[in-house]
Amino acid sequence: AWGTYINLDKDQYIHYEAGFGWNTTYLYQLQTIGEYGHRIYENLFGQVVYTYRSYRGSADDTHLVSPGLIYYFGDSYLSANYGASYMESHDTASIGVFKGDFAITKFLRWNCGVAIGGRLYDILGKDAADEQGYILFTGVTINLYKGINCRFGYIYGTEEPKFIKRSIYYAVSAKF
């Protein structure tokens, strides 16, 4: 994925990101994220995030709008978002996400969180009320060298009626 964060001034920022995926069942081929954040009071920011996911050749493209709050303290933050996810061939689902990202040392960060709601994975194509679930995630980010980071983490998720996903992720990012 490619993206950018731009601080418009000390009280507001924008973020844009785009990424591509493989032509695999249940995996979107294009994702774009647009985000705007604005300081509400001292270290508390409000944000609005729009995410679009394209599933090539299907009627299941997804639009997710999620307003939320971020509280910064030192080099760490806590965030809470509530979102409405509209899939073109289904009803609208509700999603809540709570996340923490903590600076452990200058070179090491730890994140963890939970997502709760309907149609988090949408494997069976049912209405949101019939596909309730949760996702737990945790990971570390290691600062290897000026702006070059390596991430590792674990995700566990489940969605009714019978879907469980466990995964390990890794990523390398560079700022320039």
Side-chain angles (χ1 to χ4, degrees), residues 2-6 14-18:
W2 293 95
T4 186
Y5 276 93
I6 299 172
I14 57 175
H15 164 229
Y16 177 78
E17 184 177 312

Side-chain angles (χ1 to χ4, degrees), residues 94-96 114-121 128-136 156-161 163:
S94 297
I95 299 169
V114 60
I116 302 168
R119 203 179 307 114
L120 297 170
Y121 293 103
D130 297 326
E131 289 189 339
Q132 296 292 313
Y134 64 90
I135 300 171
L136 302 171
Y156 175 86
T158 183
E159 186 171 88
E160 295 297 330
F163 176 74

Side-chain angles (χ1 to χ4, degrees), residues 5 17 101 109 111 139-144 148-153 168-175:
Y5 276 93
E17 184 177 312
D101 189 278
R109 301 186 68 80
N111 72 70
V140 295
T141 301
I142 302 166
N143 184 3
L144 300 173
I148 299 174
N149 298 315
C150 187
R151 292 187 194 128
F152 302 94
I168 295 173
Y169 69 88
Y170 60 92
V172 175
S173 65
K175 291 181 186 178

Side-chain angles (χ1 to χ4, degrees), residues 79-157:
S79 68
N81 290 68
Y82 173 80
S85 174
Y86 170 73
M87 185 173 276
E88 294 174 357
S89 65
H90 296 306
D91 60 336
T92 301
S94 297
I95 299 169
V97 180
F98 306 95
K99 177 183 177 183
D101 189 278
F102 309 99
I104 306 302
T105 69
K106 183 178 175 182
F107 301 101
L108 180 66
R109 301 186 68 80
W110 172 60
N111 72 70
C112 62
V114 60
I116 302 168
R119 203 179 307 114
L120 297 170
Y121 293 103
D122 193 43
I123 297 301
L124 302 174
K126 297 180 178 228
D127 287 342
D130 297 326
E131 289 189 339
Q132 296 292 313
Y134 64 90
I135 300 171
L136 302 171
F137 55 91
T138 187
V140 295
T141 301
I142 302 166
N143 184 3
L144 300 173
Y145 184 76
K146 299 177 185 176
I148 299 174
N149 298 315
C150 187
R151 292 187 194 128
F152 302 94
Y154 178 75
I155 301 170
Y156 175 86

